[in-house]
Amino acid sequence: MFRIQHDNPVKSFLLIGLGGFLGATSRWLLAQSIDRWLLHSRFPYGIFAVNILGCLVIGYVMGLAHARDAVPDHARLLFVVGFLGSFTTYSTFSWNTLELFRTGHPGYAVANLAATVVAGMLAVWLGYSLATRI
């Protein structure tokens, strides 16, 4: 949850799109590499690692942005919104929840945690159920 000045919407879309492409392909490559390395595991270590790495990086980058004003808007669009947004939406979810805690809204933070996990699981189950009943 941060505000970016939109001086040029086309430039913003291009930065986000480029970052998104790089983030999505990086997620796939890293997750596949880890899962291949751990060939016989049933646990999804690859995507787990991607999610945790994304959380670490978004926390670091946004910490720099807040504490030192060291991350310009165009870099946030490219890296945070684009790259990290497609590398893992879990990092964005985690950042938004931390920001709610940090800004004095712990009730909303806990609600976001619970609602996202429960609603996400229900949505996956519903989608799967609809698809397998056809």
Side-chain angles (χ1 to χ4, degrees):
M1 298 193 321
F2 57 88
R3 304 291 178 243
I4 293 177
Q5 300 292 68
H6 295 285
D7 57 339
N8 185 338
V10 173
K11 179 181 174 185
S12 297
F13 283 125
L14 291 174
L15 287 169
I16 293 167
L18 174 61
F21 169 77
L22 295 171
T25 54
S26 297
R27 175 188 62 231
W28 183 80
L29 286 170
L30 181 58
Q32 291 296 310
S33 297
I34 291 170
D35 286 341
R36 252 181 288 176
W37 181 57
L38 300 168
L39 213 48
H40 300 292
S41 177
R42 292 193 181 274
F43 189 82
Y45 285 106
I47 203 66
F48 176 79
V50 164
N51 285 334
I52 301 310
L53 178 61
C55 289
L56 174 68
V57 172
I58 200 171
Y60 184 79
V61 171
M62 294 305 291
L64 287 176
H66 282 179
R68 299 191 181 109
D69 200 25
V71 184
D73 286 348
H74 69 277
R76 286 193 227 181
L77 286 172
L78 174 70
F79 192 69
V80 176
V81 178
F83 183 86
L84 289 175
S86 67
F87 185 70
T88 168
T89 58
Y90 185 75
S91 63
T92 305
F93 158 71
S94 297
W95 168 253
N96 288 340
T97 305
L98 176 65
E99 189 71 352
L100 287 168
F101 275 118
R102 224 178 54 74
T103 58
H105 300 92
Y108 285 122
V110 170
N112 187 42
L113 282 168
T116 300
V117 171
V118 171
M121 291 303 301
L122 287 172
V124 168
W125 170 80
L126 179 60
Y128 182 84
S129 296
L130 291 170
T132 56
R133 291 182 187 188
I134 296 176

